[in-house]
């Protein structure tokens, strides 16, 4: 593969596998060198340690990164490539303190750790700051303050945010991608507002694209994130078709049967396909996307991705990870050790089970608690020997459905504690809040069984965090088969169907009674995966793959025959005395139709028809005595007769099986002694 200004080594690997292995080794070496002396973005990680509130790290709610400082702008003789990370939210929360004064706080989320250790690229973040800034003075002041954090804001007004984020993103895309379907309540009102929400969605994506275009420099890599920005790749390519654009989805991508219910399905799929590389957490999600493109758009799916008229959009799985070293190091901190000792004393003599989730519809918290109740019913001897600690971080507290879920969970917990609790102990400790990072690490470390019962989850990094903190305890992970992590941690976890309460209850008993040697084997498998497939490795691999995809596309483009030189062809045509024109019929001389058979919003005719605008030009060509016109089609003979019977031309029906001059009779191109009577007998 030829080198470029970012990869100019003469020893460039020939295959994708060789390149991946070499890049991984280089990243390890760079990480060692940089840990020895190169300073980090934000100077240190102290901003994460003092007042950090750490709920469950959810790959679907991310914002935050760091990059290198101006020191070390050149690494191993190469100029660092700029990486423009475009997400709905910036990794910074802004609070206004005056007309031209802003206070910034670094946020923490699933993507933060993904780019903390990626030093090959000079990162810039583009996104919404989470506040409405209508005045120009405030916008300039916030832009200046964010520039110090390598962030560029996108200013969205309140109405756009309401329609785009609260409306289309959270009310339409998020439920659909998690198999909850389109909104059922107030359907008429939803239908009326759908178009305005989708218009706001496109408008917001165009505003993101405008900001990207303003700061884009040749050679930059643009990495778009999540379902909030599905329209962005197309907007960027319309600005500059040479941009290197990647798009990654942090949620599941549903099956094509689910996705096709979305009214804007076609437009969104084509917008995403404008990207050079499309990434998902798991192979299943990638397969669903390719299937949607083939079934809804009628495009060709290949092992590499989706092909549209010679252009290939590469589609692949890139499972995200966590910064496992950070969790392992945290366990050695004095404050974490103090928490561990307190928890061990508090729950002495009892096995600890743990659930850490956002209080969300898809997390399966009621199912988890009901399964624990069934376990206590069937195993009376365990009632005073086990405790379930459920951390439920509140989210979208102003939404009625979430308020109803909160009440439901509280009711179930209260019933179980009232039924099996004593004056001194209760079987379930339920917390409606997040924990700080140190307390959470300590809780992970003393847990015997972690319960992740998501009804649908993009990846679920809580399971990764639990494994990273289990070096000593070697606890058991019970993991929903509907979480993306099941494909990476499934061999070491106990996989369950969260809807099957009996199965989950049985798995709890199996986990609590699991022999030590089996626990150790399962933990070792998962620990190796979590510490090897880190978030930094995920981010570096995706961007490296994007660069390779661009180079491979350039190679394919050079192999494609060039476009017809129209002027030269016309000149040759006019100078010649004997011309032969072979024209296709379907999709060449007919009106274009989409894959599902609609033309101009209407159902198409049963048989294709010659496009009205082509009738006169075609007649003039056929009347030219120096030009012979042949129409070749896979259609039946009578279809060609109906469309071209009045023209002076040759017709080739059924892909050349039958041939005739319009002034003559049909003849077969097969040998004369071949009996073709059976053909008419099997025609439908």
């Amino acid at each position: 593969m030829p080198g470029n200004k970012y990869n100019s080594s003469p020893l460039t690997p020939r295959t994708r596998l060789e390149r991946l292995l070499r890049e991984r080794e280089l990243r390890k070496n760079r990480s060692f060198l940089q840990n020895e002396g190169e300073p980090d973005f934000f100077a240190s990680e102290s901003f994460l340690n003092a007042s950090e509130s750490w709920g469950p790290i959810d790959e679907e709610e991310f914002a935050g990164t760091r990059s290198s400082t101006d020191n070390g702008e050149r690494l191993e003789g190469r100029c660092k490539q700029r990486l423009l990370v475009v997400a709905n939210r910036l990794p910074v929360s802004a609070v206004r303190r005056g007309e031209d004064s802003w206070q910034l706080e670094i946020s923490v989320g699933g993507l933060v750790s993904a780019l903390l250790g990626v030093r090959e690229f000079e990162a810039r973040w583009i996104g919404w700051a989470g506040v409405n800034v209508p005045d120009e003075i405030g916008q300039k002041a916030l832009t200046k303050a964010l520039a110090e954090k390598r962030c560029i804001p996108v200013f969205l007004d309140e109405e756009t945010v309401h329609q785009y984020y609260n409306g289309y993103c959270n009310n339409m895309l998020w439920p659909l991608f998690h198999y909850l379907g389109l909104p059922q309540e107030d359907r008429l009102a939803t239908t009326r507002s759908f178009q305005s929400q989708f218009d706001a969605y496109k408008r917001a994506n165009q505003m993101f694209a405008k900001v990207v275009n303003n700061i884009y420099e040749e050679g930059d890599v643009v990495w778009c994130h999540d379902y909030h920005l599905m329209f962005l790749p197309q907007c960027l390519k319309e600005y500059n078709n040479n941009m290197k654009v990647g798009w990654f989805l942090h949620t599941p991508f549903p099956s094509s049967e689910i996705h096709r219910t979305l009214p804007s399905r076609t437009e969104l799929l084509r917008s995403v396909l404008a990207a050079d590389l499309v990434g998902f957490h798991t192979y299943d999600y990638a397969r669903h996307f390719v299937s949607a493109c083939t079934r809804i758009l009628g495009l060709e799916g290949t092992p590499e991705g989706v092909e549209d008229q010679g252009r290939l959009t590469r589609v692949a799985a890139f499972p995200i990870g966590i910064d496992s070293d950070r969790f392992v190091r945290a366990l050695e901190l004095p404050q974490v050790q103090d928490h561990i000792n307190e928890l061990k004393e508090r729950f002495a003599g009892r096995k600890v089970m743990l659930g850490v989730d956002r209080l969300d519809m898809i997390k399966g918290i009621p199912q988890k608690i009901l399964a624990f109740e069934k376990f206590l019913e069937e195993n009376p001897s365990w009632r005073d020997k086990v405790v379930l600690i459920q951390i439920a971080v509140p989210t979208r507290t102003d939404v009625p459905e979430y308020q109803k879920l909160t009440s439901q969970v509280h009711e179930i917990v209260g019933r179980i504690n009232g039924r099996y609790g004593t004056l001194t102990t209760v079987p379930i400790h339920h917390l409606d809040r997040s924990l700080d990072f140190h307390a959470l690490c300590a809780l992970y470390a003393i847990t015997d069984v972690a319960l992740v019962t998501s009804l649908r989850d993009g990846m679920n990094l809580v399971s990764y965090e639990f494994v990273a903190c289990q070096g000593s305890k070697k606890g058991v992970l019970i993991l929903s088969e509907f979480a993306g992590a099941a494909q990476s941690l499934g061999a070491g976890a106990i996989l369950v169907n969260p809807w099957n309460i009996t199965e989950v209850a049985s798995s709890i008993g199996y986990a609590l009674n699991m022999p030590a040697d089996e626990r150790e084997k399962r933990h070792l498998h998962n620990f190796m995966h979590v510490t090897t497939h880190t978030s930094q490795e995920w981010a570096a691999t995706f961007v490296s793959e994007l660069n390779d995809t661009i180079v491979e596309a350039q190679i394919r483009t050079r192999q494609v025959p060039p476009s017809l030189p129209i002027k030269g062809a016309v000149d040759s045509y006019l100078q010649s005395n004997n011309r032969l024109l072979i024209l296709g019929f379907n999709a060449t001389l007919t009106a274009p139709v989409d894959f599902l058979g609609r033309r101009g919003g209407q159902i198409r005719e049963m048989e294709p028809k010659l496009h009205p605008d082509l009738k006169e030009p075609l007649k003039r060509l056929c009347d030219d005595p120096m030009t012979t016109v042949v129409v070749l089609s896979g259609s039946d003979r009578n279809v060609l007769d109906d469309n071209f019977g009045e023209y002076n031309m040759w017709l080739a029906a059924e892909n050349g099986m039958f041939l005739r001059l319009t002034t003559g009779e049909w003849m077969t191109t097969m040998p004369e002694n071949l009996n073709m009577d059976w053909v008419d007998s099997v025609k439908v």
Side-chain angles (χ1 to χ4, degrees), residues 14-20 304 314 545 548-549 552:
R14 300 177 186 177
T15 68
R16 186 179 299 275
L17 178 60
E18 290 176 0
R19 195 266 309 149
L20 286 173
E304 291 292 306
R314 179 164 159 73
E545 282 285 308
D548 281 2
T549 298
E552 292 168 1

Side-chain angles (χ1 to χ4, degrees), residues 96-223:
R96 194 162 191 170
R97 296 302 184 190
E99 186 179 21
D100 59 353
S101 176
W102 291 87
Q103 178 181 333
L104 304 179
E105 294 181 1
I106 306 301
S107 304
V108 178
L111 193 61
V112 180
S113 57
L115 295 175
L116 283 177
V118 180
R119 317 286 180 91
E120 295 101 309
F121 310 102
E122 180 187 335
R124 296 287 188 278
W125 280 74
I126 300 168
W128 178 50
V131 292
N132 180 35
V133 191
D135 59 297
E136 186 175 350
I137 295 177
Q139 291 184 5
K140 288 183 177 179
L142 181 56
T143 301
K144 182 178 180 181
L146 289 171
E148 299 177 2
K149 305 297 184 185
R150 298 179 182 263
C151 296
I152 299 97
V154 177
F155 294 106
L156 303 176
D157 59 83
E158 287 187 358
E159 179 61 20
T160 299
V161 170
H162 175 69
Q163 294 261 34
Y164 143 73
Y165 181 70
N166 298 326
Y168 193 75
C169 291
N170 288 339
N171 196 42
M172 301 292 290
L173 292 181
W174 189 90
L176 190 77
F177 282 12
H178 289 85
Y179 290 81
L180 299 179
L182 296 176
Q184 297 298 320
E185 298 179 3
D186 302 325
R187 174 162 293 280
L188 291 177
T190 300
T191 303
R192 285 198 297 268
S193 63
F194 166 77
Q195 190 58 48
S196 64
Q197 291 178 358
F198 186 55
D199 290 342
Y201 181 84
K202 292 193 291 185
R203 186 166 63 252
N205 276 244
Q206 289 164 351
M207 295 170 71
F208 276 85
K210 184 177 181 180
V211 174
V212 173
N213 191 55
N214 289 338
I215 68 166
Y216 175 80
E217 298 175 3
E218 185 179 356
D220 288 352
V221 169
V222 184
W223 192 1

Side-chain angles (χ1 to χ4, degrees), residues 563-575:
S563 301
L564 177 69
I566 296 178
K567 185 178 184 305
V570 171
D571 291 342
S572 299
Y573 179 89
L574 295 175
Q575 295 173 9

Side-chain angles (χ1 to χ4, degrees), residues 254-265:
S255 69
S256 60
E257 288 303 309
I258 297 293
H259 188 266
R260 72 191 307 168
T261 63
L262 185 67
S264 54
R265 60 195 184 182

Side-chain angles (χ1 to χ4, degrees), residues 22 106 109 195 208 267 273 304 405 419 438 444 446 538 577 580 595:
R22 181 174 179 272
I106 306 301
Q195 190 58 48
F208 276 85
E267 201 165 355
L273 287 175
E304 291 292 306
L405 175 64
R419 183 179 179 185
H438 296 144
Y444 281 141
I446 62 100
W538 165 77
N577 296 320
L580 174 64
F595 179 63

Side-chain angles (χ1 to χ4, degrees), residues 479-583:
L479 180 61
S480 167
E481 63 186 62
F482 300 113
Q487 294 196 17
S488 51
L489 303 182
I494 300 176
L495 294 183
V496 295
N497 176 1
W499 294 101
N500 190 334
I501 303 301
T502 302
E503 177 188 350
V504 178
S506 176
S507 298
I508 291 174
Y510 181 72
L512 290 172
N513 293 291
M514 185 179 293
D517 58 339
E518 183 180 351
R519 288 205 320 269
E520 186 166 354
K521 289 179 181 178
R522 287 175 177 269
H523 167 74
L524 181 61
H525 178 279
N526 285 347
F527 189 78
M528 290 295 294
H529 179 88
V530 168
T531 54
T532 303
H533 299 84
T534 63
S535 53
Q536 294 88 349
E537 185 75 16
W538 165 77
T541 300
F542 184 93
V543 180
S544 183
E545 282 285 308
L546 179 54
N547 279 320
D548 281 2
T549 298
I550 299 296
V551 175
E552 292 168 1
Q554 293 170 348
I555 294 174
R556 283 195 304 272
T557 301
R558 288 197 293 268
Q559 295 172 346
V560 174
S563 301
L564 177 69
I566 296 178
K567 185 178 184 305
V570 171
D571 291 342
S572 299
Y573 179 89
L574 295 175
Q575 295 173 9
S576 63
N577 296 320
N578 193 8
R579 310 136 181 167
L580 174 64
L581 298 180
I582 303 177
L583 305 175

Side-chain angles (χ1 to χ4, degrees), residues 366 369-371 373-374 377 408-421 427-428:
I369 299 174
L370 290 173
E373 179 185 30
K374 187 169 185 61
E377 287 177 356
Q408 180 186 21
V409 171
H410 288 174
E411 179 183 344
I412 299 174
V413 170
R415 187 187 73 239
I416 297 173
N417 283 341
R419 183 179 179 185
Y420 298 110
I428 300 178

